[in-house]
Amino acid sequence: MADTTTVELDTEVHDRLTALAAARGLSLPAYLAEFAAAQENEAGLARAARAFEEAVARPGFREAFARDFA
């Protein structure tokens, strides 16, 4: 059995989350687990996008990329 914890939510927030979970055919804990994973992925993609933008801003990066991969 997995360890669990209790989170206090406003009734309105709980109801909204439960409705979102139900619309996807999930329990609230399963929905929250998927939501957490999606948020982690989104944060990772944002970090990668920032790193890419920083890389292409370096002088000569675009030219070197074009030379090596064009």
Side-chain angles (χ1 to χ4, degrees):
M1 180 177 201
D3 289 339
T4 62
T5 191
T6 300
V7 176
E8 291 189 27
L9 299 171
D10 291 337
T11 301
E12 178 187 350
V13 173
H14 177 271
D15 293 348
R16 290 169 58 201
L17 290 171
T18 300
L20 289 167
R24 296 187 57 170
L26 298 170
S27 66
L28 182 54
Y31 176 76
L32 292 174
E34 280 193 7
F35 180 76
Q39 291 300 301
E40 290 167 345
N41 289 339
E42 186 176 315
L45 288 172
R47 282 191 306 275
R50 284 190 304 272
F52 179 77
E53 291 300 321
E54 289 172 10
V56 291
R58 291 184 203 139
F61 180 90
R62 290 177 191 264
E63 294 79 10
F65 186 89
R67 180 193 66 233
D68 294 343
F69 297 102

